Amino acid sequence: MRINLGKNKALAFIVGLAYGYRNAHIEFKTLSLEEFVEENHKDDKVYYISRLEGEVYESFNDKVSHICVVREDKINGKVCIFIYKKHVK
């Protein structure tokens, strides 16, 4: 089934992430944006996302609503995805 992503880069990023790690054991952790410490993720892939703008940025700015961090354990075939967002309920 084909998904129409339009020009929404944030949605395309999420779909690509799901497709790219479709065979891996994935663990998700959702945290508050205020808890994000860049130093804790120096060896991970960090993506700054604006859900409203539909954009993915290379660094933090005032439009960022979510930070997605991908930590890969290639030896054990596991992936941990940290989602930092403005409001955690």
Side-chain angles (χ1 to χ4, degrees):
M1 183 169 141
R2 184 164 175 85
I3 300 172
N4 183 10
L5 303 173
K7 294 183 179 183
N8 190 321
K9 292 179 184 175
L11 182 57
F13 168 79
I14 297 299
V15 170
L17 192 64
Y19 181 78
Y21 292 112
R22 67 189 175 279
N23 295 325
H25 173 80
I26 300 176
E27 178 182 348
F28 285 95
K29 294 184 181 183
T30 305
L31 305 158
S32 171
L33 192 63
E34 291 79 23
E35 295 180 68
F36 178 73
V37 179
E38 192 170 3
E39 192 171 296
N40 293 344
H41 298 290
K42 63 182 178 182
D43 295 327
D44 304 327
K45 296 176 188 172
V46 181
Y47 303 93
Y48 302 91
I49 302 169
S50 170
R51 190 170 144 213
L52 294 175
E53 299 287 324
E55 294 287 332
V56 179
Y57 303 104
E58 294 193 19
S59 62
F60 188 82
N61 64 51
D62 61 338
K63 295 179 183 178
V64 170
S65 61
H66 294 72
I67 299 174
C68 180
V69 178
V70 179
R71 180 176 291 161
E72 296 182 39
D73 180 354
K74 293 182 181 181
I75 295 170
N76 297 312
K78 295 181 182 180
V79 175
C80 184
I81 298 177
F82 299 86
I83 305 291
Y84 293 90
K85 60 183 191 172
K86 287 189 177 182
H87 300 286
V88 176
K89 293 182 181 183

